[in-house]
Structures are given as structure tokens and as C-alpha cells.
Amino acid sequence: HFTIKKIDKQSGATLEGAVFRFEQIDGSYVTTGTTGFDGMLSFAGDELPFGSYRVTEERSPTGFEKDTSVQTVEWDGTKDVLLTFQNVRQPTIIVSKVDGVTGISLPGATFNIYKDGELIDTATTGGVILLGTEIEREDLSYFDGLQKPFVIVDNALERLPFSTVTMDNAGAVFEAVEYLRSLGHRKIGFLYNSIPSSNDNARRDAFEAAIHQLGLSYSDDLICRVFPTMDGARKSFGEALDRGIALPTAFLANNDSIALGAMRAMQERGIRVPQDISMIGFDGLPFSAMSEPTLTTVDVPCTDIGRWAVNIIHQQMRGRIRTTCSIHVSTQLHIRKSTAAPRSSGEVWGKE
């Protein structure tokens, strides 16, 4: 890979939004590219034609001086190349808006910035990023008096009067169900949180929609409510197994904790994963890679969700975004050892 790394010279933090120019020294080829959220810009193999290159920064990230250095390198695709450019933060004017009585900081105040009598920019005092996992619609009245900018993360409620950033629950669930179908599963169940949040409800609705879209048979019997912790799911799903519920050949769980608790309950009763029942979790929590078998799960890019939220709040604070928006960040299915093709006999555990 031919990679550019962009960093803050003072802090070492990576910087998004720097534009670089790649020019072959003989002038036969020129292209540009922009560093991403991770501060990286990368070309693989022959994505960048082989040759001798002069690399320069065309535009620096907002708030930083441009790195004026010129770096030359020979690129033939046989070994990795990493070029690092550094930026120095520009001198900054800090405006603080506070309550004159309490001294509490006040978000949402907009200031005009003039130079020699000419308006050159506007700026808005800081906003709020709220982790809204458990927020319900009736809770929104508590925020009626809150001034923007304001962003809610990890909440799937629709038509909120604020900007929101969350994972793409519908796309993630469809991908998981489609993968199980590709393995040969035709009877797929859903392990549902008995105390659901908005994301839980979104995944439950997406599951039913995916089943219909993929031409599979749906019934409410495919939805199994369990307690929303690992041990609670083990106990509540174990009780359901002891009652003799009819089991599908695969489950998609609302989260990794539920999935692992249900796996333990089945294993305690001699039901093998994935030989008898396949299991997919959701969230990509670290302990999902340490179970036996390791858990196939939907990885949620929490870092990217946070970065999108910070980007929105930053643009709102600068007055560049004046309307609300809703961003759904895509996920990735991480296939491990808890999923396999169903038993060829077509048997299922429990009562029909």
C-alpha cells in the first residue's frame, strides 16, 4: 500500500480532511486524494500507476497551517510506502458564553467575526452530544429548552427534532438473515430483549421485514423474549427450553450478551452450537471473540458513529449546518464459528 498519514504536530492525533496532490515527476500523471476519519489516505497495488512521485499537501484540515514540505518517493507496488505529514494548529480565538449569575456555559450563542470591518465568519458556542440509547419519545420534552447545536447518538427513534447518528439496524439485520439463508436455514428465530430500547425495537421490526423480503416463513412464534443480560438470558432462555419450545435451526439475537447467554443455556442441555443451532449476535463486543464457539456477530462501528456526531456538532457550531440530519452508519457481519449449515436431516429440537 501507498499510504499518507496526516497528524497534528503538537498532539500526534490523526487529522481528517487534508487534500494531497500526487504528481509523477515527469508530469505524466496527476491525481489528488483526501485523508479520511483515521487521518489516512491509501492506494493499493496499481490503483496508483507505478513511477516516481512528488507528494504535496494542497489543502490543510480546518484550523491547521498547511505542511509545505515536498516528499518524493518511488512507487512500484512491491513494498509498502508510508509518508507522514504534520500540521501545526493555527492560532485560535476562543469565545466563551456563560450565564452571568451562575457562570454555567451556554451553548447555541452565535457570534459574528469581523476583520477590518468586514464580516469573515460566524461561530456558535459549543453544543451537546447525548448518548440516547434509552431515550423514548416521551422523554424529549426534557430537551425543549435546550439550545442547539445538539446531537443524539445510538437512538433509532424516527422524526426526532434533533440531529441523530446511529447504526443501520435494518441493513445489519437483513445482512445477517440473508447470510443464514445462504447457509441453508429456512426457519430462523429472533432473540428479543424483554426490556427493549429503540434500537431493539428497530432490529425486531427489521427482522420481520427481512424474513418477508427473503421469502421465508414468518410467525410470532419465531420471536423469543429473554432477559437482557448474559446470565438473565441464560436463565430465561433455559426456562423456555425446559418448557419444550420448538426451536428453529438458527437464531439472530438482539445483542451479544443475549446470544452468549442463550448459547450457554443450550449447551447446558446438550444442544450444540453450531451443529444443532446456529447463532448470530449483534454489537461486536470484545468478549464475543472469546466464547466457545466464537460468536458470529454484527460489528457496530462505534468510533465512526462518534466521529460523525463530532463532525455534525462541529459544523453546527460554525454555523455551516443549520438543519437537522439523521445518519445511519453501516455495519459489518463478522463471521466466526457459531454459524454453520443446518443439519441435513432437517430435525429441530423441542416440540412442534
Side-chain angles (χ1 to χ4, degrees):
H1 286 75
F2 188 137
T3 303
I4 300 296
K5 183 177 182 180
K6 189 65 172 175
I7 63 172
D8 181 330
K9 186 173 183 179
Q10 284 99 330
S11 69
T14 55
L15 299 175
E16 174 196 3
V19 178
F20 285 90
R21 176 184 174 91
F22 301 81
E23 180 182 5
Q24 287 196 352
I25 291 176
D26 63 7
S28 61
Y29 180 81
V30 177
T31 190
T32 60
T34 305
T35 56
F37 277 132
D38 58 357
M40 299 291 192
L41 169 60
S42 187
F43 299 91
D46 60 359
E47 288 181 344
L48 192 68
F50 301 146
S52 298
Y53 279 88
R54 180 187 299 111
V55 183
T56 56
E57 183 177 27
E58 283 201 337
R59 187 172 71 244
S60 62
T62 302
F64 288 86
E65 302 286 352
K66 186 166 68 173
D67 186 336
T68 58
S69 65
V70 178
Q71 299 196 41
T72 58
V73 66
E74 184 73 25
W75 171 241
D76 59 11
T78 62
K79 59 182 179 180
D80 290 338
V81 171
L82 174 63
L83 302 181
T84 300
F85 287 78
Q86 302 180 79
N87 289 107
V88 176
R89 187 176 296 275
Q90 294 173 338
T92 302
I93 298 174
I94 299 176
V95 179
S96 178
K97 179 71 172 179
V98 299
D99 184 311
V101 176
T102 66
I104 296 175
S105 298
L106 299 175
T110 301
F111 293 85
N112 292 330
I113 301 174
Y114 293 85
K115 180 180 180 182
D116 299 328
E118 180 183 354
L119 178 66
I120 61 171
D121 202 354
T122 61
T124 303
T125 54
V128 176
I129 297 176
L130 177 69
L131 179 62
T133 307
E134 306 297 332
I135 288 179
E136 300 295 339
R137 193 166 297 280
E138 54 268 25
D139 299 325
L140 296 178
S141 60
Y142 293 106
F143 304 101
D144 285 345
L146 185 65
Q147 301 182 52
K148 294 182 181 181
F150 183 53
V151 178
I152 296 178
V153 298
D154 196 35
N155 190 291
L157 288 175
E158 297 180 349
R159 296 180 296 279
L160 290 177
F162 309 106
S163 292
T164 61
V165 185
T166 189
M167 75 288 295
D168 179 10
N169 285 300
V173 170
F174 184 89
E175 183 182 13
V177 175
E178 186 177 42
Y179 171 66
L180 290 172
R181 183 179 181 275
S182 74
L183 292 177
H185 294 280
R186 295 297 180 266
K187 189 175 183 182
I188 301 169
F190 187 74
L191 295 176
Y192 182 47
N193 190 338
S194 60
I195 310 175
S197 68
S198 63
N199 280 317
D200 298 324
N201 289 329
R203 294 168 192 174
R204 159 68 177 79
D205 293 342
F207 172 76
E208 182 174 351
I211 291 292
H212 290 307
Q213 290 173 34
L214 293 169
L216 301 174
S217 177
Y218 175 82
S219 73
D220 289 338
D221 292 338
L222 294 172
I223 309 297
C224 182
R225 286 179 174 263
V226 295
F227 199 75
T229 65
M230 192 181 304
D231 190 56
R234 181 185 69 81
K235 292 177 180 177
S236 55
F237 190 61
E239 292 170 356
L241 293 173
D242 293 340
R243 292 195 301 269
I245 62 168
L247 293 177
T249 60
F251 274 111
L252 170 63
N254 218 38
N255 61 51
D256 288 343
S257 296
I258 287 175
L260 294 175
M263 281 171 53
R264 177 62 63 85
M266 289 190 288
Q267 291 165 341
E268 291 171 347
R269 290 159 177 80
I271 303 174
R272 301 169 300 169
V273 179
Q275 295 91 335
D276 301 319
I277 305 286
S278 286
M279 180 69 73
I280 295 181
F282 205 114
D283 288 335
L285 299 181
F287 54 70
S288 65
M290 297 182 282
S291 61
E292 180 55 44
T294 53
L295 181 65
T296 295
T297 184
V298 176
D299 281 336
V300 176
C302 295
T303 300
D304 285 349
I305 289 173
R307 285 170 171 160
W308 274 110
V310 170
N311 185 52
I312 292 170
I313 208 84
H314 177 69
Q315 298 301 325
Q316 287 180 341
M317 289 166 58
R318 294 183 63 84
R320 294 176 177 174
I321 295 179
R322 301 185 183 277
T323 58
T324 61
C325 62
S326 180
I327 294 179
H328 294 81
V329 181
S330 60
T331 61
Q332 183 174 13
L333 183 64
H334 194 156
I335 298 170
R336 295 195 180 109
K337 300 297 185 181
S338 65
T339 46
R343 293 185 295 173
S344 58
S345 65
E347 298 178 49
V348 294
W349 287 82
K351 299 176 183 179
E352 291 289 351

